[in-house]
Amino acid sequence: MLLEWMMNGHAILYTGVTLAFWSTILVVGLCYTIFDLGFRFDVGWFLTETSPFMWANLGIGLSISLSVVGAAWGIYITGSSIIGGGVKAPRIKTKNLVSIIFCEAVAIYGIIMAIVISNMAENFSATTPVAIGSKNYQAGYSMFGAGLTVGFSNLFCGICVGIVGSGAALADAQNASLFVKILIVEIFGSAIGLFGVIVAILQTSKVKMGD
Amino acid sequence: MEELSFNVDHGYLEGLVRGMKAGILTQADYQNLTQCDSLEDMKLHLQSTDYAKLLSSSEGDLTVSLVDSKLRDKLATEFSCLRSNALPPLSTFLDYMTYSYMIDNVVMLITGALKQRDVAELLPRCHPLGAFDQMAAVGIARTPTELYSAILVDTPLGQFFQDAVSESNLDEMEAEILRNKLYKAYLESFHSFCKGVGGATMETMCPVLEFEADRRAFIITVNSFGTDLSGADRSALYPSCGRLYPEGLSLLAKAEDHEQVKAVADCYAEYKILFEEPEPGKDFKTLEDRFFEQEVKLNTLAFLQQFHFGVFYSYIKLKEQEIRNIIWIAECVTQRQKSKIDHYIPIF
């Protein structure tokens, strides 16, 4: 069976690319080790030479974009089920918009956090790592971390609310009394997005950029 | 991870099918229908269900066969509504569902062509779900081999002919043997397709198809008692994708009477129940009825999971059972034999 799978065109491509990638890494790593050039692989240099602004803006970008991906994912999962179920049971159309609103809330968390984080970025005049100081580096990393936190938690929250909302729409179409009960599951699902926002706020609470 | 991407292509259709499933007749509807005294009464009761005005636009007298054909046409319309909006792999799945009806149609057309019957009178009797483009052209072929090489090899059924038969013995093969061989190839192909899709589709569809395969094996065995179909010929007709494969099938090929078939069924828990003698006092159900009941039970399980293709297959099968129920009740009503009217198989 492995041989059959190997004969598939896609499989050959993927195995080839993966093999090339890992062998490059292996060969490069071996060469660096053998020729005593290991000092060139310098994580400390990377972290001090990259500007804190890069981390801050990556955090802002991730927070809004991942939240929007989560919200969009949830909305299309729920929306298609509402449309399908609404053909034979038109009464579900208005009530089930609540599920869409829960998904949308996830995107709103993302944009609020993006605005909050971006307001913390201030200018500083130093250029060397020593002069920039630890406070600025800490600010950069905190903003990146907060962006990751809120982005990923909203991504999975949006997907969760979307899948539950789809089930709620189809169950509502069969039996109207089920909707409120499944809505409670959705409320718990959307709470996890809120957790991400709370943790992100805490992460950025001590951020102080500047000279 | 099916639920993450299923709704992109198939969410609307799943919602639609589940909505249509809500219109399947319930026990209350069947109670109303069994208390009718004539077909007109039944028509009145059916108007308040999902069938609405289906029967009221009929010209001429209301007969059972007219009711049957109208119900089947409605099912075919619903199916084509689903099929026309489907994207792969759902479109392939829905096509697989039509192949069983196509096999029945082709075998009927072949037997008709061999007896020199006019194709035009056979075409209306074909099942609408199994219609294919080249159906009308079937009349020009004179022998089954011609039929195969000219027409059938281009239809989706061509792949099943390759597995089942070689061109040389197509002429001598009886229609029933041909039907069973085609069906065996079709069922095995469908089963491996569902396995390939995987996920919840595999979990819901494979038990249903395995039951179908085992049911065919039992029915072929039981029907071959008293005919000159030998055990070796029989085992070529048994689909191999069921629970009975391989030991049960080899035992069935050697079975010579009903007792031995029952002994084979006793080795498998679910089939043992189907072959048991009913308790005294309860109604006697034929083997076919018990198989139908088991099929309904397996099909209703498909609606317990979301984001899979099994709901489409189960919906069509349950609707077919509903049509059989309605026709059974209609026959009992028109022939005024209400004693057996409760022998329909309740679905939900």
Side-chain angles (χ1 to χ4, degrees), chain A residues 73 76-78 80-81 83-89 159 163 166-168 170 173-174, chain B residues 3-8 11-16 18-22 50 78 306-307:
Chain A
W73 208 324
Y76 92 67
I77 293 181
T78 305
S80 51
S81 289
I83 293 174
V87 172
K88 290 286 184 174
I159 296 175
I163 295 177
S166 158
L170 295 179
Q174 301 282 316
Chain B
E3 52 266 25
L4 294 179
S5 55
F6 184 86
N7 271 11
V8 184
Y12 168 72
L13 287 176
E14 186 188 7
L16 187 58
R18 282 179 179 267
M20 297 200 286
K21 166 245 180 197
D50 232 24
E78 286 178 351
Q306 213 185 335
F307 308 119

Side-chain angles (χ1 to χ4, degrees), chain A residues 181-201:
Chain A
K181 309 208 164 72
I182 302 184
L183 200 63
I184 299 184
V185 178
E186 256 186 84
I187 292 172
F188 278 111
S190 81
I192 61 180
L194 213 49
F195 296 162
V197 175
I198 293 171
V199 170
I201 299 268

Side-chain angles (χ1 to χ4, degrees), chain A residues 16-76:
Chain A
V17 168
T18 326
L19 213 60
F21 177 70
W22 287 113
S23 52
T24 321
I25 299 224
L26 192 67
V27 165
V28 167
L30 273 178
C31 284
Y32 269 66
T33 320
I34 296 172
F35 297 125
D36 205 16
L37 294 170
F39 65 88
R40 291 227 185 130
F41 188 76
D42 195 347
V43 180
W45 166 85
F46 173 70
L47 286 179
T48 47
E49 285 297 324
T50 53
S51 164
F53 289 129
M54 179 195 93
W55 297 112
N57 286 298
L58 270 181
I60 296 167
L62 282 174
S63 95
I64 181 65
S65 52
L66 290 176
S67 307
V68 164
V69 169
W73 208 324
I75 289 178
Y76 92 67

Side-chain angles (χ1 to χ4, degrees), chain B residues 28-278:
Chain B
D29 295 315
Y30 284 126
Q31 297 280 25
N32 284 341
L33 286 177
T34 50
Q35 283 158 7
C36 290
D37 287 321
S38 73
L39 275 184
E40 295 295 325
D41 281 345
M42 285 184 70
K43 181 173 99 174
L44 216 59
H45 278 123
L46 282 178
Q47 271 181 6
S48 60
T49 66
D50 232 24
Y51 286 109
K53 299 276 188 277
L54 181 72
L55 297 173
S56 46
S57 55
S58 60
E59 342 59 30
D61 301 323
L62 199 61
T63 62
V64 174
S65 59
L66 183 68
V67 171
D68 188 23
S69 64
K70 283 218 168 220
L71 294 179
R72 268 202 325 199
D73 287 339
K74 177 167 197 284
L75 184 61
T77 317
E78 286 178 351
F79 182 81
S80 67
C81 166
L82 293 175
R83 176 64 187 85
S84 53
N85 286 317
L87 289 168
L90 180 59
S91 52
T92 328
F93 185 88
L94 292 176
D95 283 338
Y96 263 107
M97 280 168 51
T98 60
Y99 295 159
S100 67
Y101 305 106
M102 260 189 222
I103 291 175
D104 288 336
N105 286 350
V106 159
V107 168
M108 184 177 79
L109 289 171
I110 287 179
T111 30
L114 282 183
K115 295 194 187 120
Q116 316 297 331
R117 298 269 289 272
D118 187 18
V119 163
E121 78 178 56
L122 288 176
L123 279 183
R125 289 172 45 193
C126 287
H127 199 289
L129 277 178
F132 53 96
D133 295 331
Q134 298 92 333
M135 239 161 61
V138 163
I140 58 172
R142 288 289 135 232
T143 67
T145 322
E146 233 180 77
L147 188 68
Y148 170 64
S149 53
I151 297 161
L152 292 176
V153 74
D154 291 325
T155 65
L157 291 182
Q159 48 181 315
F160 306 133
F161 276 89
Q162 278 158 19
D163 296 334
V165 300
S166 61
E167 272 198 45
S168 52
N169 54 16
L170 200 59
D171 282 327
E172 299 97 53
M173 202 176 291
E174 281 179 25
E176 284 308 309
I177 308 283
L178 179 64
R179 184 204 302 273
N180 284 314
K181 284 205 162 162
L182 288 177
Y183 202 85
K184 168 184 153 85
Y186 153 70
L187 208 54
E188 287 165 7
S189 175
F190 198 2
H191 189 260
S192 62
F193 173 76
C194 290
K195 260 200 165 155
V197 172
T201 304
M202 182 176 77
E203 283 168 25
T204 45
M205 283 303 298
C206 285
V208 172
L209 292 177
E210 283 161 14
F211 173 72
E212 184 67 25
D214 294 336
R215 170 200 201 179
R216 297 289 290 205
F218 280 126
I219 300 273
I220 289 173
T221 316
V222 168
N223 286 348
S224 69
F225 294 150
T227 66
D228 49 356
L229 190 66
S230 72
D233 290 336
R234 278 206 309 250
S235 54
L237 302 179
Y238 295 152
S240 63
C241 56
R243 309 264 321 277
L244 287 175
Y245 175 81
E247 296 92 14
L249 288 184
S250 54
L251 284 174
L252 270 185
K254 299 194 209 100
E256 294 302 325
D257 59 33
H258 201 84
E259 286 307 313
Q260 289 179 5
V261 171
K262 192 156 178 302
V264 174
D266 282 345
C267 307
Y268 300 87
E270 341 45 61
Y271 302 138
K272 180 169 179 198
I273 304 174
L274 292 175
F275 276 84
E276 256 171 14
E277 297 299 320

